Amino acid sequence: MATVVNIFSHTIGRKLIMALTGGFLIIFLIGHLAGNLVLFVEDSQLAFNEYTKFMTTNPFVKVLSYLTYISIILHVIYAIVLGRMNTQARPVRYSYNKPAQSSTWNARSMTLLGLIVLVFLIIHLKSFWFELKFGAVPMMEGTDLKDLHTVVIAAFSQWWYVIIYVLAMAGLAYHLDHGFQSAFQTLGLNHKAYTPVIKSIGRIFAIAVPALFALIPVYVYLTQNNIL
Amino acid sequence: MKFTLKIWRQAGANQSGELKTYEIDNISSDMSFLEMLDVLNENLVQKGEDPVHFDHDCREGICGMCSLYINGRAHGPQRAITTCQLHMRSFNDGDTIVIEPWRAKAFPVVKDLVVDRSAFDRIIQAGGFVSVDTGGVPDANLIPIPKDTASEAMDAATCIGCGACVATCKNASAMLFVSAKVSQLAMLPQGQVERYSRVEKMVAQMDEEGFGSCTNTYACEAECPKEISVTNIARMNAEYLKSKFTSSDSFAGKS
Amino acid sequence: MPLDDNFQLDSKIPSGPLAEKWDQHKFDIKLVNPANKRKYEIIVIGTGLAGASASASLAELGYNVRAFCFQDSARRAHSIAAQGGINAAKNYQNDGDSVYRLFYDTVKGGDYRSREANVYRLSQVSVNIIDQAVAQGVPFAREYGGLLSNRSFGGAQVSRTFYAKGQTGQQLLLGAYSALSRQVAAGKVTLHTREEMLDVVIVDGKACGVVTRNLISGEIKSYSAHAVVLASGGYGNVFYLSTNAMGSNVTAAWKAHRKGALFANPCFTQIHPTCIPVSGHYQSKLTLMSESLRNDGRVWVPKDIAVSEKLRKKEMRPRDVAEADRDYYLERKYPSFGNLVPRDVASRNAKDVCDEGRGVGKTGLAVFLDFSDAINRDGRDVIEAKYGNLFDMYKQITGENPYETPMMIYPAVHYTMGGLWVDYNLMTTVPGLYALGECNFSDHGANRLGASALMQGLADGYFVIPYTIGDYLARQPYKKVSADHQAFKEAEKGVKDSIDQLLNMKGERSVDDFHRELGKIMWDYCGMSRTAEGLTKARQMVKDLKVEFEKNLKVIGSADELNQTLEKALRVKDFFELAELMIVDAFERNESCGGHFREEYQTPDGEALRDDENYRYVAAWEYLGEGKDEKLHKEDLDFEYVKLTQRSYK
C-alpha cells in the first residue's frame, strides 16, 4: 500500500488530485446552477427558500456538500503545493519571453484565475452560506423556511455586487475552459477522436455555466431596479 | 542583413551572468542561425574577446545538442525545427535578437548558452530501456506489431532529448520528454514486461531532478522540434495511475 | 617506438571454409570465466553505435566499463544522424537474399579492397542485429500484417534494408544508448560525458589507459584499464565541409596512430551523392538527404550548357526544361542500375556533368533530383509518406519546395572507409587497443554500400568485440597498471604541453579559418578525383599551412574552463597530420578503386580502373615521428570466394 499512498508525493499523483477535485467541482457547478435557476422564475421566493432548505437539510446533499468543501480545500492546497514546485523549477526566469506563441493565456494563468474564483467564493460564502448558518436570516412569513431569497435579492440589487459576480464568472469561465479538458488529460484520457469532442464540450460548458450564473444577478439587478 | 544581438554571457556555473549586446553585419539570409553565431564568434576572436559558447553538433536537427531561447521562444520563431535548422531568412533585416540559455533548475547553466542536461540521461537510466542483454533474443519477426502501433511508437521515439519542452514550459516540466520514452515502450510488446515499474521509476527520477509539474498548457508540443504529441503525456498519466492502482508490484510496495 | 624490420601484418584470419570461420574462431579463442570478468576494466572511447553497443554488451558480460564521449550526452553521438537504414541478410522478402549475397555485394561494392573473412562475418551477424534492436524496442517500419518492412537501398538488387522512417540511425543509437543507460544504472558502466580522450597510454607494449580532458573544468586526467576500445568515428571533417557533426574528429584514432597503431587506407573516403549543395563561404556543414530518395527521384541535368546557364541565372525554371532537353545521365549510362548506382559512381558522375558546365543551382555545382514522375505515378500522398521529413528538411534549408520544383543535390564527404588497421579480432597493431565502427578500416574496402555503416558499427559492438576481447584479456593479469605509472605522467605532460602551445601562440588567424583552408585543399586535390600532380601540390600546401598553423593560430581563453575554440584547435591540429597522410596514401595508390579515383587510371568510358596486380592490398601506415614520412606496410588481400571483376552497373 505504501506506494499507493506515496502517489501523492509525486507530480502525477498530485495532479490526479487536482483533476479529481476539479472534476467533482464541475459536477457541483451543474447542481448549484440548476438550483439557482429558480431565481429566474417569477415570484420565486417560496421555491427558492424551499430549495435552500432542501440543500441544507437533506442528508445526501449534506454528504455532497462536505465532499465539495473537501474538494475545494484540496484543490487549493495542491494548487499551492504544485505552484510552489513549479516556481522553484525555474529559479532564473527568461528576460525575454513570448509564451503566447505556444500556449493560451488562460492555460498559463490558472493560478491567477483560481485565485479570482477563490476570492469570489469567500465573498459568496460570507454573503449567503455564512449568513444562513450563523447570521440572522429572517424567516419567510407563513412558513418555517429561512428567507434567503430576500437576502439574495437585496445583495443582487447593488450594482457593485453584480459587477463582482460578473467578473468572477468571467474568471471561472477561463478557468473552466482550460480545466475541463485538462482534467481529462491528467486522468490519461486523450484520444485522437474523443479529445476534440471533450475540448468542445469543455468550451461550451465553460461559457454556458458561468454565463448563466452571471445572468442571475444581472437579471435580478435589472428587474429590481425596474430597468427590465 | 544586419542584426543587434543580445546574448546571455555567463563565465561559469557559479558566476552571475548578463545580457550583452553585439552588432553584426553582412549576414546572408541563407545562413543558419548557428552559422550566424559562428560569424559573430570569428569576429570576437579577432577582437580578442571570448567567443560565445553554445552547444551544437550535428547541425541537421537530429542530435539534440543545440538549444537556445531565441526571442522568447525555444529554438526560435519557427515550428518543428531545432536552432541549427533555423535560417536567417526567418528574421528581418535590422531585427534585435535576444538569445538566452534554456532556463530550468534541472538544467543549470555551464557557460554562456551551454546548459547541463544530464538530468535527462538520469531519467533514462532510471528505466527508459527494455532489460534485454545482447544475444539470446527471439527472431525480429516473431512478434508482429500492428503497423499503426509501430508508427505511433516511432512518433514518440523520435524525441531528440534537446530539452525545448522543459525550456518552454512555464513550469519547466519534463513530462513530454519522459512520456515520449514511456509511451514508446508501453505501446510495443517488447516493453510490456517492465511497463509499470518503468513508468514509476522514471517519474520518480523526473521529480527528483527538480522539474516542475505539468499544467497541460501544451506549450511543449507546440515548441517540440519533432512535434511529439501531448497524447504521450496523457498516456504516461494513465500508465502511472494504472501502475499505482492495478499493478501488483505497486500494492506490494515493491516499486 | 618503430616496429621491427621484419614486422609482418597478421590479420589473424581463421583458417577453414569461409562460412565456418567465425564459428570456429569463437570456439578457438580463449574465454574469461564469468566470475573473473569483473576483475577486468575496459575503456571505451565514443558512445555511437559501436561504442554504446560495445560498452553495454561488455558490461552485460560482467566487465567493468568506463565510457567516454565529448558530447553532453551519450545519445548525441553522430550515428544518430544516419537516415536511411540498416542492411541485414534476413531474406524476409523472399527475394533471394542470403548471408552470402550480402557478403558478395559488400565485397563487390567495396571494390575488392576489403577482407573476405571480415565481411562474411559482418553479413552473418547482420541478422542478429535486427533481432537485438527489435527486442530493445526499436520501432522499425512494419507492414500491415505486423511484420518488418524492407526497402532496397543504393546499389542493392534485393530489399534487405530495415528502416525507421528517415531516422534509422537515431533509433538504433537510442536502442544502444538505452542498453548503455541500463548498465550505467547497474553500476557496470561509468559514463564520462563532455570528456575527450587526448592520448592513449602504452606500457610494455600494451594499451593500458587513456588521458582525457574534462571539457567543462579543463582537468587533465588519467584512467588505466586492461584494454582500450576506440569507437570514435570517422575523420570526414578533415574536409571541413562534410556531413559529419561539427565535433566529429580523428583525435582518438590519431593519437593511437602516433602511439604505434597502424592507420589503414586513409585515402578511402566516401562522397555521398545526395547532399544539399553549398550555399556560401560561411557554410559550416553539409546536410545529407537520404540516398533512399534515389529510389523514386530521377537525377538529371540539361543536355545543353546554355540551358544550364539560364537555370543558374534563374532566367528559366527547371519545370520549363523540355523532356527532350534533359539528360537523365545515370539512367542513360547505367540502364540496369539507373539512379541506384553505388555512391561513388553517382557522385563522380555528378561531378563530371558539373565540370562539363551542365551543373545547375547558384554555383553551378548541383544536379537535379526530380520527383515529378514519382508524384504523378504514385500520388503526392505516397511520396509524402515515404520522404515527407526529408522534403521538409530540404525546404527548411533551401527555402524551396521539392514537391513543386526538383531538388538540387551535390556530393559531399560523408564517410571514411579508412581508419585504424585492425585484425580479425578488431585489435590494432597495439596489443590491447581495439578499434570498432567507422574508426577502423575493416569491412567496407574502398567504398561503403548504403545502409552498411549502421550494420558494421553494431556488428562490431554487439557481436564481435564481446567475444574477441576475451581472447586478449584472458591472457592478462587481473592487476592493471596504475594510473600513477610514469607513462601516464608523461602522456599528461604531453597533452598539457600541446594545450599550452596552442594557447600561447597568440597568432592572428582563427581555428575555423585554418580548418576551412585545409578542407578546401583536401576537397580540391584529395576529394572526388585525384591526380599525382594535384596530390603533390596539395601535400606541399598542407605542409605550408601546417607551419603557419603552428605559428599563427589564435585561441582565446584558458585551459581550465569550457573552451570550445581550444577543443577545436586540438582537433584541427590532428587533422593536419592526417591530411598529409591521406594525400600520401592517395598518391601511393596508383589505381582507381571505390571512393579513391585517380584520373590517370580510368577505363575508356571513365570508370574506375583497378590494378589488382599491384594494389590488391591494404595500405597500413606506420607513424615514425613528427615531420618524418610514414612507413607503408602492406596486407595482401586474398580473394578465395569472390572473383575479382571490373565493377559494372550498366
Side-chain angles (χ1 to χ4, degrees):
Chain A
M1 270 318 273
T3 51
V4 177
V5 176
N6 87 12
I7 184 172
F8 304 119
S9 63
H10 287 304
T11 39
I12 297 181
R14 290 173 177 169
K15 282 153 39 60
L16 174 69
I17 294 180
M18 293 301 284
L20 290 177
T21 53
F24 184 79
L25 292 172
I26 283 171
I27 296 167
F28 157 78
L29 284 179
I30 300 173
H32 190 18
L33 178 66
N36 286 16
L37 289 180
V38 172
L39 288 168
F40 279 120
V41 180
E42 214 160 311
D43 206 13
S44 61
Q45 190 178 19
L46 182 65
F48 186 78
N49 286 338
E50 273 175 345
Y51 160 69
T52 306
K53 180 166 186 194
F54 174 78
M55 293 303 283
T56 46
T57 53
N58 182 291
F60 178 68
V61 173
K62 266 223 147 86
V63 173
L64 283 183
S65 66
Y66 282 116
L67 278 177
T68 308
Y69 303 145
I70 293 169
S71 291
I72 292 170
I73 291 168
L74 284 178
H75 203 77
V76 170
I77 289 176
Y78 275 92
I80 295 169
V81 169
L82 287 167
R84 267 176 59 91
M85 178 181 169
N86 294 344
T87 320
Q88 285 164 356
R90 178 165 292 132
V92 182
R93 312 200 76 79
Y94 292 106
S95 49
Y96 184 75
N97 203 0
K98 266 185 172 165
Q101 300 289 330
S102 50
S103 58
T104 57
W105 171 80
N106 58 327
R108 294 192 308 275
S109 312
M110 288 299 275
T111 314
L112 173 69
L113 294 168
L115 201 66
I116 291 173
V117 175
L118 182 65
V119 168
F120 161 76
L121 209 57
I122 291 166
I123 296 172
H124 179 67
L125 287 174
K126 166 72 185 66
S127 307
F128 306 125
W129 177 84
F130 184 83
E131 289 300 319
L132 192 66
K133 284 246 156 146
F134 309 107
V137 175
M139 299 302 283
M140 183 178 170
E141 244 171 82
T143 66
D144 61 343
L145 299 171
K146 285 192 176 179
D147 191 6
L148 189 65
H149 184 265
T150 306
V151 179
V152 170
I153 300 298
F156 288 175
S157 301
Q158 297 155 282
W159 63 268
W160 56 270
Y161 202 86
V162 174
I163 285 177
I164 289 177
Y165 261 65
V166 171
L167 289 180
M169 286 308 110
L172 179 64
Y174 278 110
H175 196 81
L176 284 173
D177 182 45
H178 176 72
F180 192 95
Q181 54 84 24
S182 181
F184 285 88
Q185 170 82 359
T186 300
L187 291 170
L189 304 170
N190 184 316
H191 187 278
K192 270 202 289 273
Y194 307 136
T195 297
V197 179
I198 290 170
K199 284 192 178 174
S200 307
I201 294 174
R203 174 142 301 169
I204 293 167
F205 185 92
I207 295 170
V209 171
L212 286 171
F213 269 120
L215 209 56
I216 295 166
V218 172
Y219 174 77
V220 171
Y221 178 82
L222 295 179
T223 45
Q224 288 301 309
N225 293 288
N226 297 319
I227 298 168
L228 207 72
Chain B
M1 300 171 92
K2 199 176 163 173
F3 299 100
T4 302
L5 306 173
K6 291 189 172 173
I7 302 178
W8 183 261
R9 301 303 308 261
Q10 181 174 339
N14 301 318
Q15 275 145 301
S16 62
E18 58 173 348
L19 283 176
K20 279 189 80 171
T21 305
Y22 301 92
E23 302 292 335
I24 190 160
D25 204 348
N26 294 322
I27 295 298
S28 154
S29 63
D30 283 336
M31 270 184 199
S32 75
F33 194 83
L34 298 183
E35 284 166 349
M36 182 275 293
L37 288 180
D38 289 342
V39 172
L40 172 73
N41 277 345
E42 288 247 348
N43 295 348
L44 290 177
V45 168
Q46 281 313 320
K47 282 194 265 176
E49 288 178 44
D50 195 23
V52 177
H53 281 65
F54 58 92
D55 268 328
H56 64 101
D57 200 24
C58 78
R59 296 207 176 186
E60 51 186 277
I62 193 74
C63 76
M65 192 133 171
C66 66
S67 52
L68 306 190
Y69 213 69
I70 301 163
N71 275 352
R73 302 203 40 203
H75 292 304
Q78 300 277 326
R79 272 187 86 96
I81 54 163
T82 56
T83 295
C84 65
Q85 295 171 295
L86 176 65
H87 283 72
M88 297 315 290
R89 67 178 83 93
S90 304
F91 297 88
N92 297 318
D93 195 12
D95 276 359
T96 296
I97 305 173
V98 183
I99 311 169
E100 291 179 82
W102 284 172
R103 299 263 187 223
K105 182 179 157 204
F107 288 169
V109 172
V110 173
K111 181 175 180 177
D112 295 341
L113 304 168
V114 176
V115 298
D116 177 358
R117 285 169 289 195
S118 53
F120 272 9
D121 286 328
R122 289 189 291 274
I123 293 171
I124 298 295
Q125 285 158 14
F129 45 76
V130 177
S131 296
V132 288
D133 284 353
T134 304
V137 298
D139 184 87
N141 256 350
L142 191 67
I143 310 170
I145 301 174
K147 187 180 166 76
D148 288 346
T149 308
S151 117
E152 213 175 328
M154 176 64 206
D155 288 343
T158 193
C159 167
I160 58 174
C162 65
C165 46
V166 174
T168 195
C169 175
K170 80 186 234 319
N171 311 321
S173 166
M175 289 285 278
L176 192 65
F177 169 79
V178 182
S179 69
K181 187 48 76 181
V182 167
S183 275
Q184 177 203 341
L185 296 177
M187 279 186 276
L188 295 171
Q190 288 81 8
Q192 296 310 306
V193 175
E194 298 161 283
R195 181 171 177 180
Y196 294 127
S197 64
R198 175 182 305 117
V199 65
E200 296 216 13
K201 286 176 187 164
M202 290 180 75
V203 168
Q205 187 65 36
M206 170 183 86
D207 283 356
E208 193 167 310
E209 296 291 347
F211 292 104
S213 77
C214 176
T215 52
N216 303 329
T217 68
Y218 310 143
C220 51
E221 179 184 84
E223 295 291 26
C224 174
K226 296 294 158 191
E227 299 184 294
I228 309 270
S229 163
V230 293
T231 305
N232 293 305
I233 295 183
R235 193 179 287 113
M236 177 161 84
N237 290 337
E239 290 291 314
Y240 182 82
L241 298 176
K242 264 187 250 169
S243 172
K244 282 297 183 195
F245 294 110
T246 65
S247 109
S248 54
D249 273 6
S250 205
F251 274 94
K254 278 189 204 151
S255 56
Chain C
M1 203 190 326
L3 294 163
D4 259 318
D5 278 347
N6 47 14
F7 168 81
Q8 276 294 322
L9 281 169
D10 179 4
S11 59
K12 300 208 173 73
I13 293 172
S15 56
L18 184 65
E20 289 163 28
K21 282 180 196 285
W22 177 229
D23 285 340
Q24 187 60 41
H25 187 65
K26 281 193 284 187
F27 180 75
D28 290 340
I29 55 181
K30 276 176 162 276
L31 294 174
V32 178
N33 175 310
N36 288 337
K37 288 198 174 93
R38 71 175 76 99
K39 296 173 183 162
Y40 291 107
E41 185 171 335
I42 301 165
I43 284 172
V44 179
I45 304 298
T47 58
L49 286 176
S53 60
S55 293
S57 304
L58 291 168
E60 286 159 10
L61 287 172
Y63 295 113
N64 299 304
V65 176
R66 204 179 272 285
F68 294 85
C69 67
F70 69 79
Q71 296 90 346
D72 74 329
S73 164
R75 65 181 294 153
R76 310 210 198 280
H78 193 56
S79 306
I80 200 132
Q83 298 169 357
I86 178 167
N87 287 331
K90 281 284 197 185
N91 193 31
Y92 281 161
Q93 304 308 320
N94 195 31
D95 57 359
D97 198 15
S98 63
V99 167
Y100 196 86
R101 186 178 294 281
L102 175 57
F103 153 75
Y104 178 87
D105 287 353
T106 307
V107 171
K108 179 186 175 201
D111 222 358
Y112 311 100
R113 291 295 175 263
S114 50
R115 259 187 223 141
E116 278 189 340
N118 282 51
V119 176
Y120 195 84
R121 173 178 66 188
L122 175 67
S123 308
Q124 279 177 303
V125 303
S126 68
V127 297
N128 303 103
I129 296 170
I130 303 304
D131 298 342
Q132 189 64 35
V134 166
Q136 288 167 344
V138 170
F140 283 123
R142 289 181 182 262
E143 304 293 350
Y144 281 106
L147 301 184
L148 290 158
S149 173
N150 291 114
R151 59 185 170 201
S152 145
F153 211 75
Q157 290 189 310
V158 290
S159 290
R160 62 160 75 101
T161 305
F162 295 79
Y163 62 100
K165 274 195 175 166
Q167 289 146 265
T168 317
Q170 179 199 30
Q171 293 310 312
L172 289 168
L173 181 61
L174 293 180
Y177 161 78
S178 72
L180 174 67
S181 297
R182 176 172 160 244
Q183 294 306 313
V184 172
K188 292 302 288 180
V189 174
T190 310
L191 184 61
H192 299 258
T193 59
R194 293 204 201 258
E195 195 161 339
E196 185 163 24
M197 179 194 129
L198 291 180
D199 208 355
V200 60
V201 178
I202 292 161
V203 174
D204 296 335
K206 294 176 192 165
C208 62
V210 296
V211 172
T212 63
R213 178 170 182 269
N214 180 318
L215 300 183
I216 302 292
S217 67
E219 189 188 4
I220 305 294
K221 225 174 151 183
S222 290
Y223 299 91
S224 73
H226 295 88
V228 176
V229 176
L230 302 183
S232 53
Y235 49 84
N237 269 347
V238 68
F239 291 91
Y240 185 73
L241 287 181
S242 79
T243 65
N244 284 187
M246 301 301 285
S248 300
N249 67 80
V250 76
T251 293
W254 194 255
K255 299 300 186 197
H257 176 55
R258 288 179 60 121
K259 285 285 174 82
L262 302 195
F263 205 104
N265 298 337
C267 79
F268 288 166
T269 45
Q270 180 166 80
I271 315 284
H272 196 290
T274 51
C275 299
I276 297 176
V278 174
S279 72
H281 171 77
Y282 48 80
Q283 190 106 19
S284 59
K285 81 151 270 159
L286 295 169
T287 304
L288 175 100
M289 308 292 295
S290 169
E291 154 168 68
S292 61
L293 289 169
R294 285 198 281 144
N295 284 333
D296 285 300
R298 298 179 71 195
V299 177
W300 66 275
V301 288
K303 283 183 179 160
D304 189 358
I305 296 180
V307 177
S308 294
E309 251 166 41
K310 278 192 187 163
L311 286 167
R312 287 200 286 270
K313 290 183 192 148
K314 295 205 165 172
E315 292 167 3
M316 190 176 179
R317 290 178 312 165
R319 281 277 170 270
D320 303 334
V321 180
E323 202 58 32
D325 295 334
R326 299 176 178 194
D327 179 12
Y328 295 93
Y329 57 88
L330 290 177
E331 295 170 21
R332 172 171 59 81
K333 288 168 79 174
Y334 311 97
S336 83
F337 278 70
N339 295 299
L340 293 173
V341 290
R343 293 174 173 179
D344 55 333
V345 179
S347 296
R348 216 159 36 240
N349 276 284
K351 179 181 179 338
D352 289 347
V353 295
C354 290
D355 287 351
E356 287 164 21
R358 296 195 285 146
V360 294
K362 248 195 314 203
T363 57
L365 292 176
V367 298
F368 289 125
L369 180 63
D370 199 332
F371 287 87
S372 50
D373 285 350
I375 291 172
N376 290 338
R377 183 187 64 224
D378 298 339
R380 186 179 155 140
D381 291 352
V382 173
I383 297 301
E384 194 169 344
K386 276 192 195 168
Y387 310 113
N389 57 337
L390 297 169
F391 278 36
D392 292 347
M393 181 168 90
Y394 182 84
K395 189 177 177 199
Q396 183 61 40
I397 293 172
T398 61
E400 287 184 356
N401 183 353
Y403 292 105
E404 283 156 17
T405 182
M407 276 186 183
M408 282 189 280
I409 54 167
Y410 198 65
V413 175
H414 175 55
Y415 187 89
T416 51
M417 281 74 68
L420 293 171
W421 184 91
V422 289
D423 63 18
Y424 190 70
N425 293 322
L426 303 182
M427 189 150 84
T428 66
T429 48
V430 175
L433 182 65
Y434 291 80
L436 320 184
E438 192 179 349
C439 91
N440 75 26
F441 87 105
S442 73
D443 298 351
H444 306 297
N447 175 52
R448 179 176 65 75
L449 288 181
S452 283
L454 303 182
M455 172 172 72
Q456 186 227 338
L458 290 177
D460 288 0
Y462 283 134
F463 298 111
V464 179
I465 193 74
Y467 295 97
T468 59
I469 204 166
D471 188 47
Y472 171 78
L473 290 174
R475 301 163 210 269
Q476 305 306 314
Y478 299 136
K479 192 169 166 17
K480 59 176 185 174
V481 175
S482 157
D484 294 328
H485 189 282
Q486 188 56 26
F488 281 96
K489 300 283 163 241
E490 281 164 20
E492 281 189 25
K493 184 173 180 305
V495 166
K496 284 177 186 157
D497 287 349
S498 64
I499 289 173
D500 288 344
Q501 188 211 349
L502 293 173
L503 286 172
N504 294 331
M505 221 180 290
K506 312 264 184 250
E508 297 288 322
R509 288 179 67 183
S510 71
V511 189
D512 278 341
D513 203 21
F514 278 111
H515 193 183
R516 204 177 281 123
E517 190 173 335
L518 173 68
K520 178 95 170 56
I521 298 171
M522 294 303 285
W523 178 247
D524 288 346
Y525 300 102
C526 196
M528 248 185 296
S529 72
R530 302 145 178 193
T531 62
E533 191 194 354
L535 289 165
T536 312
K537 187 173 162 196
R539 187 174 182 192
Q540 194 54 47
M541 288 167 85
V542 169
K543 278 186 172 190
D544 294 346
L545 190 63
K546 183 164 177 260
V547 169
E548 197 197 339
F549 177 81
E550 282 163 358
K551 279 199 307 232
N552 197 21
L553 176 69
K554 185 169 189 173
V555 179
I556 305 290
S558 70
D560 50 4
E561 60 174 337
L562 177 62
N563 188 337
Q564 292 173 330
T565 26
L566 174 64
E567 289 164 27
K568 182 111 208 249
L570 286 162
R571 293 170 190 159
V572 172
K573 189 170 179 242
D574 294 326
F575 280 136
F576 268 104
E577 295 181 2
L578 166 77
E580 201 182 330
L581 183 63
M582 286 172 72
I583 292 168
V584 169
D585 187 47
F587 180 83
E588 186 275 342
R589 190 169 282 277
N590 289 308
E591 63 164 348
S592 294
C593 61
H596 170 65
F597 189 80
R598 283 279 299 271
E599 288 177 22
E600 303 95 315
Y601 309 101
Q602 46 182 308
T603 62
D605 45 0
E607 300 302 323
L609 184 63
R610 283 198 328 270
D611 178 355
D612 293 328
E613 188 83 8
N614 296 306
Y615 292 93
R616 203 187 60 215
Y617 62 72
V618 174
W621 296 90
E622 182 192 355
Y623 184 84
L624 293 175
E626 198 97 37
K628 292 193 185 143
D629 285 355
E630 301 214 1
K631 183 175 169 190
L632 174 64
H633 298 266
K634 296 176 184 174
E635 178 201 341
D636 288 324
L637 293 167
D638 296 321
F639 292 90
E640 291 177 60
Y641 294 86
V642 180
K643 199 169 135 263
L644 273 66
T645 54
Q646 180 68 40
R647 279 194 316 170
S648 171
Y649 293 94
K650 292 212 178 275

